[in-house]
Amino acid sequence: MSINKEHELIGMQEASRAVATTLRAMREHARPGMSAKELDDFGGEMLSSLGAKSAPRLTYGFPGWTCISVNNEIAHGVPSETKILQEGDLVNIDVSAELNGFWSDNGGSFVLGEDIHGHGKLVSASKRILSKALGQVKGGVRIADIGRLIETEAKKSGYKVIKNLAGHGVGRSLHEEPHEIANYYDRYNTARFRKNSVVAIETFISTASTSAATERDGWTLVGSRGGYVAQHEHTIIVTDGKPVILTAMNGIFD
C-alpha cells in the first residue's frame, strides 16, 4: 500500500506496534523445555489482547497464531505440542497480523539460551545484513539492487541466500505489490521502490541451501540441501531518505 493520509499512517503504526511487541514478548518468554504450541498460544493471546488477528491464520488457515521454526526449519514452522524448545536451538518467530484493516509483518531468528551449537554467528550476520539493506532502501532504488546487496554481504560472511523466499509489499493485505523483494540480484526485475509505499524487507541467510522445500505437513519449509537459515524482517515505509521502520520496537537489532 501507499501511505497518503494520516489515518493510513496511524493504522499502520498500530498494526505494526501489535506485531512488534508480540514478537519481542514471545522471544523473551521462550524457555528451554517449552513446547512451540505453548509459546504460540502466548503470542496468540497477546495479539488478541491488542485487538489484532493472526495473519497466517486469517489468510491461509495456518494451524497456529504465529510461525515458529526451529533449527533446520526455515519458515512457516507449525507450532506443535511435540516441538520442544531446547537450549542452544536456532529459533525463528514470525508474527504478522491484521488490525482495523491494516496488516503488518515482522520476524527474527535468535539462539535460545546459551549458544552451545554456534548459531550466533549466523544470526548476527542476518541482522547486520538486514540493517545494511534497510539503510539503502529509498524511493527510486531498484529492488534488484537491494537483493544484490543482501547476496553480496552474505557471500562476504561465508553464507548463501534462499532464493525462492522474499520480502513483499504489505499494508491492506499480507502480501501486496511488490511481491518479490528477493535476497539476490534478479536482473529481470526492473521495479523500483516507491516513496510512501509500505514493504516488508527480510533476509534469508543460509549455511548450505539456496532454495526452500515444503515438508510433508504442507507448511514447514526446510533447505533443499539442509543446513540452517537465519531470517530477520521489518515492515517499513519507503521515503526519500532513511525508511521509517514501523516494527522497530521488536528489538531484533538489540
Side-chain angles (χ1 to χ4, degrees), residues 6-53:
E6 185 178 4
H7 82 272
E8 294 172 331
L9 174 60
I10 293 171
M12 281 308 305
Q13 288 173 329
E14 291 176 346
S16 298
R17 186 178 301 114
V19 298
T21 55
T22 297
L23 175 60
R24 183 171 198 141
M26 289 178 70
R27 188 174 65 245
E28 294 172 350
H29 186 70
R31 296 287 184 276
M34 175 184 289
S35 74
K37 186 178 188 304
E38 288 178 79
L39 182 58
D40 181 61
D41 285 343
F42 171 84
E45 289 171 8
M46 188 165 183
L47 285 175
S48 180
S49 73
L50 295 169
K53 298 177 182 178

Side-chain angles (χ1 to χ4, degrees), residues 22-123:
T22 297
L23 175 60
R24 183 171 198 141
M26 289 178 70
R27 188 174 65 245
E28 294 172 350
H29 186 70
R31 296 287 184 276
M34 175 184 289
S35 74
K37 186 178 188 304
E38 288 178 79
L39 182 58
D40 181 61
D41 285 343
F42 171 84
E45 289 171 8
M46 188 165 183
L47 285 175
S48 180
S49 73
L50 295 169
K53 298 177 182 178
S54 162
R57 205 175 187 99
L58 194 61
T59 306
Y60 306 114
F62 182 74
W65 307 106
T66 67
C67 300
I68 301 177
S69 307
V70 180
N71 292 327
N72 300 105
E73 299 171 346
I74 297 176
H76 304 166
V78 176
S80 67
E81 292 180 348
T82 57
K83 187 185 290 184
I84 307 299
L85 305 182
Q86 305 288 343
E87 187 83 16
D89 277 350
L90 175 62
V91 180
N92 177 271
I93 302 174
D94 194 300
V95 182
S96 55
E98 178 273 336
L99 178 62
N100 297 327
F102 295 93
W103 303 64
S104 189
D105 194 0
N106 70 165
S109 297
F110 62 97
V111 176
L112 183 63
E114 187 179 349
D115 187 18
I116 56 178
H117 304 300
H119 296 307
K121 182 183 175 185
L122 174 65
V123 170

